[in-house]
Amino acid sequence: MLTLTTTDISLAQTHTDKLSAIDFLAQQLTQRGLVKADYVQGMKNREAQNSTYLGNGIAIPHGTTDTRHLVEKTGVAIAHFPNGIDWGEGNRVYLAIGIAAKSDEHLGILKQLTKVLSADGVEQALKNAKNEQEIIALLEGNTQLSINFDASQIQLDFPASDMVQMTAVAAGLLKNSGCASSELVADFVSQSPTHLGEGVWLACSSKGVSQSGMSFVTTANQCRYEQQDVRTLIGFAACNSAHHSQLKTITEMLGNGEIGKLNTLNVLQLLSMFGDSTPDESQPTDSSNSQTFTIKNAHGLHARPGAMLVACAKKFDAAIAVRNLDTDSQQVNAKSLMKVIALGVKHGHKLEFSADGHDAQAALEAIGQAIQSGLGEG
């Protein structure tokens, strides 16, 4: 596990192009004794082979495999560009992470970094970061960027007979998810929720909240409160702005006269509407369209072969998911470079690909051929 410090980060950089930025990062790595001076050419050669842009305003310039002998010690140098820098192909970078790694340990660094950089809102948060501590908090996953909301925070058709029971259940779901303490439960039960119309109510509290979260409760009974029907209660635990997107969705439904639709949605529909999972990752795949391939690359799926794999997957319309059988990972979107690299794939690891769509079989065959050929590394 790489521990970031404020000395790893250079703020307010204003380089005009990515080669200038790479020169700066190489200089930082050299001055700190992580690499020898000639490592900079390896970083530029690597960039010429394939862009190190990952997405979400982040690039990870690093050397080629034949310049690893120039690495003295594993580490990183990070440059922050508040105004952004053109990284080619229309991509703008706000944070460049120069990596020095002696062997496969760089996969651990990439996995640590990319795992927390796939969430919505990262790019804007990096752009607006004011100090080293904010950047470290973002990279280490200590900054909440999306609301805490999953299936465990949804209770449909609860046999409630009054609003007190509804608010107690909504608050209990937030407490059990780790978003808040008993203080929020007491506040929910004692307050009067807001009626949004058509039996949909809203309760919100900031008391005892450690993470912003959302709960959703419907009742199976005929229930009334303040002479109005009660069918659905939405609960928010709020301590930051992570719930603003969900509030915006609710406001838009109100404006369009569609708030009553919330009374009819199932769990998957609610997660699709309010959760932070992307559709291409949550789609079910046909188990008959699954194949397992062994990675032959000596240094695993670092950025270059990872990019080749993703480029192959993107040629097809099918939804393609992949998981690392050797680490028992969850399925991720095979068309996302950040998430593929985050699997931490090393030489010999077995990847299981599942595809769903009219060209699913063709996609799996092409991926297998690309892996067999070495993903651009022979």
Side-chain angles (χ1 to χ4, degrees), residues 170-348:
L173 293 173
L174 290 167
K175 179 177 180 292
N176 292 340
S177 69
C179 292
S181 67
S182 299
E183 190 178 359
L184 176 130
V185 179
D187 191 42
F188 259 46
V189 173
S190 64
Q191 68 174 267
S192 295
T194 300
H195 187 219
L196 302 180
E198 301 186 52
V200 179
W201 297 75
L202 176 68
C204 185
S205 177
S206 60
K207 294 185 177 180
V209 179
S210 57
Q211 269 197 340
S212 289
M214 176 179 172
S215 61
F216 192 96
V217 183
T218 64
T219 177
N221 298 334
Q222 294 293 328
C223 190
R224 290 180 67 83
Y225 180 73
E226 295 182 347
Q227 289 77 54
Q228 301 287 342
D229 286 340
V230 176
R231 299 182 62 188
T232 296
L233 176 67
I234 304 168
F236 281 110
C239 64
N240 49 43
S241 62
H243 64 301
H244 287 183
S245 175
Q246 287 70 26
L247 282 177
K248 181 180 178 182
T249 298
I250 294 170
T251 300
E252 289 174 351
M253 295 184 76
L254 272 171
N256 296 331
E258 299 176 339
I259 197 67
K261 288 184 177 181
L262 293 176
N263 297 318
T264 64
L265 301 182
N266 60 35
V267 172
L268 290 178
Q269 290 169 328
L270 288 167
L271 292 175
S272 176
M273 179 176 290
F274 294 112
D276 61 358
S277 61
T278 54
D280 55 3
E281 289 182 345
S282 59
Q283 285 183 12
T285 55
D286 185 347
S287 58
S288 65
N289 284 329
S290 297
Q291 291 191 39
T292 300
F293 305 109
T294 301
I295 296 300
K296 302 169 59 178
N297 301 67
H299 302 289
L301 286 189
H302 54 89
R304 185 187 180 194
M308 295 289 288
L309 176 59
V310 169
C312 179
K314 284 184 175 180
K315 294 177 181 177
F316 299 90
D317 295 330
I320 306 172
V322 57
R323 68 188 185 103
N324 189 339
L325 297 180
D326 288 86
T327 61
D328 196 26
S329 74
Q330 296 294 316
Q331 282 191 339
V332 302
N333 182 6
K335 298 180 182 181
S336 168
L337 178 58
M338 295 177 71
K339 296 184 180 182
V340 168
I341 291 178
L343 291 173
V345 182
K346 297 182 179 181
H347 172 74

Side-chain angles (χ1 to χ4, degrees), residues 20 24-25 34 46 59 74 105 111 130 193 237 240 265 267 289 295-298 301 303 324 349 353 361:
S20 174
F24 174 77
L25 288 168
L34 298 177
R46 171 62 188 82
T74 296
E105 57 201 342
K111 183 175 181 179
K130 303 301 181 185
N240 49 43
L265 301 182
V267 172
N289 284 329
I295 296 300
K296 302 169 59 178
N297 301 67
L301 286 189
N324 189 339
H349 278 191
F353 290 84
Q361 193 57 44

